[in-house]
Amino acid sequence: MSSNTSRYSWGADEHLVVQLAESMSLDANFRAMAMSSELGERQVPGIIDICPSNASLLVRFDPDQLAPADLETMVREVEARVAVSSSPKISTRIFEVPVWYGDPFTVETGARFRDRHQRPEGDDLEFAAIENGLDGPAAFIKAHADSPWITSMVGFVAGLPFLFQMVPQERQLEVPKYVRPRTDTPKQTIGHGGCFTAIYSVRGAGGYQMFGITPVPIFDPEQKLRDFKDFMIFFRPGDIVKFRSIDEVEYYAILSEVEAGTYRYRQAPVEFVLNEFHEDPDKYNATLLEALYGN
Amino acid sequence: MGIEIIEPGLATSIQDQGRPGYYSVGIPPSGALDLYSAALANVLVGNLPAMAVIEATYMGPKLRFTTPTVIAVTGAQIPVQINGQEIPQWESVSVNADDVLTFGILQAGARFYVAVAGGITVPEILGSRSTYALGAFGGFEGRSLKSGDLLPVGMESGPVGRIITSEWRPEFPREIDVRVVLGLYDYRLTDVGLSALLDKPWKLSPVADRIGFRYSGQKLEWRDRVQPFGAGSDPSNIVDAGYPVGSIQVPGGVEPIILHRDAVSGGGYAMVATVISADMSLVGQCAPGTMTNFKPVTLDEALAARGIGQQRLRTVQAKWS
């Protein structure tokens, strides 16, 4: 946990990269998020972007306004302050993402690119169940949808969240990526690679296993839905997500609400306290879900 | 007032000096890949340097002006014609309504810029008119130009006969040095791997677009390790992290990729160096086949080079203010 395990490095003259840990963990991610929010609050002229990622922090800056050495001093100071915090917490929100698991769109796409997959027979959900020693797709879907996930990073392309499952490491779902990436993935696909679930914000290339699709946009450049009134991107680092399995009928019902512009995310503000989570993750998650769904 | 796209060329889009400030949610800076040439195209027609211009790649579009205006073409070397008559690059020229702008065969470089008096006045999104095609917003309808598009432009008049002389124009040699600052995850390479990156030239492959430039050459060797949790199994994999613009990643240890201004903002491949800001326009002007030597410099040298580049732009601009 001490700051001497982190690595500071320059991405030439416009970026500082702080590698907090080589492995993914909620602790490393939490430090990245806490440093990001502390640095952001200082509103330093010359800092252009503060990008927390899974286990690292990227700062894009203008060296004409802010000398690199001054930036490094400041970030090291922020890291030290975050390290001594006895009870790291973030103010965030929890919301629900409805998913049609095993939908025909991602299944068809998966079939089209089967030659790039490690298992030619079956589909990605079946493969993921086998990889995790689970008894078929239904058991995998339950494991995926039952526990909440935290947004450990937003990026790759506009608005794409990386989600880390909020369960002890031995219970985290892990699935290798495709052997060779696909050139196509439907928009709003729920994908998974390594220990991360991602939601594809736009149609395009991808290497994650595909489990389903959500009818709800996460990226809306036209800002039609009310949840996008302030910004075209919905996900922020630290957001907590609960997936809910829906069927075809509900998928199309929600889709027509989206198209009518009336859909609202079910959401609630929450405070996430890391130590309390570590004490009893299942109990802590239950209280988070209470905030979302009521008793 | 406008410009009608008769033929779009190969990859033609609207760009300005970029859209900073949204990288943390995956929106890259975008903007012209050769910021210097784009800024000077604007200066020639009397615009502010940051106004939106047309960026064309390898093969030019065919455009018709619907009103009189003043234009200038900068960037890569290419014959430029109005109604079939050759006009000079790096010089502001007046055009009449119904004049047609066409281009010949690219001589050197990769990207050329057409500035119009008053700028291309597509709507600003998040503070910029640059196209971000992956996100499908910005520029003209969030995409590369197509036949039949009608671009709004600012003004019918501007200064004519402004010239930028050859000593201020970029050069486009077939073999170049690109200065990089080593670091990031370069500790993952063996000494042999690092030497392989720096000791021999790399050839730019045809995969060279606004997102990234991919090079072919020797394979790089990584240090052995047990891969950390969440990183993926290949030795070039890391736990997904933010990618600096200009960073060089080496998936699988082969074919390094320099991310450019439409960069994907993060991912799971180790980056081993970053191109200095002063050399990003040089990279942006490379055509496939360009032999490229990565030359390590210190952060201080990168800052000094940045200063020299800025001073050069200011000197040219000052001639016209």
Side-chain angles (χ1 to χ4, degrees), chain A residues 7 9-15 17 19 21-25 48-56 58 60-64 68 153-160 162 164 169 172 174 177 194-196 202-203 208 219 221 231-233 235-237, chain B residues 20-29 125-126 132 134-137 180-185 187-188 225 228-232 237-246 261 263-269 274-278 299 302-303 306 310:
Chain A
R7 288 173 199 262
S9 182
W10 299 105
D13 48 319
E14 294 185 347
H15 309 82
V17 172
Q19 298 167 48
E22 291 194 9
S23 304
M24 180 57 195
S25 68
I48 298 169
D49 296 289
I50 303 168
C51 314
S53 59
N54 295 313
S56 60
L58 166 67
R60 186 165 160 80
F61 68 102
D62 175 0
D64 305 329
M153 169 171 166
V154 178
F156 182 61
V157 295
L160 184 151
F162 286 76
F164 189 64
Q169 192 173 315
Q172 282 185 327
E174 270 194 278
K177 298 171 191 173
C195 62
F196 296 107
V202 294
R203 183 176 177 179
Y208 278 22
F219 170 59
F231 195 47
M232 60 172 79
I233 284 166
F235 275 84
R236 304 295 159 91
Chain B
Y22 300 95
Y23 207 44
S24 66
V25 289
I27 298 175
I125 298 188
L126 302 178
Y132 170 43
L134 267 182
F137 71 87
V180 301
V181 175
L182 292 172
L184 306 177
Y185 298 80
Y187 58 86
R188 295 282 307 110
R225 70 166 173 182
F229 177 76
N237 286 150
I238 55 169
V239 167
D240 293 53
Y243 288 153
V245 177
R261 298 186 63 87
V264 291
S265 70
Y269 291 112
T274 309
V275 176
I276 68 171
S277 65
L299 176 60
L303 291 167
R306 179 189 181 88
Q310 289 169 336

Side-chain angles (χ1 to χ4, degrees), chain B residues 131-146:
Chain B
T131 311
Y132 170 43
L134 267 182
F137 71 87
F140 187 86
E141 297 183 355
R143 57 169 171 77
S144 294
L145 299 177
K146 288 183 190 167

Side-chain angles (χ1 to χ4, degrees), chain B residues 127-163:
Chain B
S128 164
R129 295 188 165 90
S130 288
T131 311
Y132 170 43
L134 267 182
F137 71 87
F140 187 86
E141 297 183 355
R143 57 169 171 77
S144 294
L145 299 177
K146 288 183 190 167
S147 304
D149 289 347
L150 193 64
L151 303 177
V153 300
M155 289 192 291
E156 294 196 358
S157 62
V160 174
R162 287 188 174 182
I163 296 173

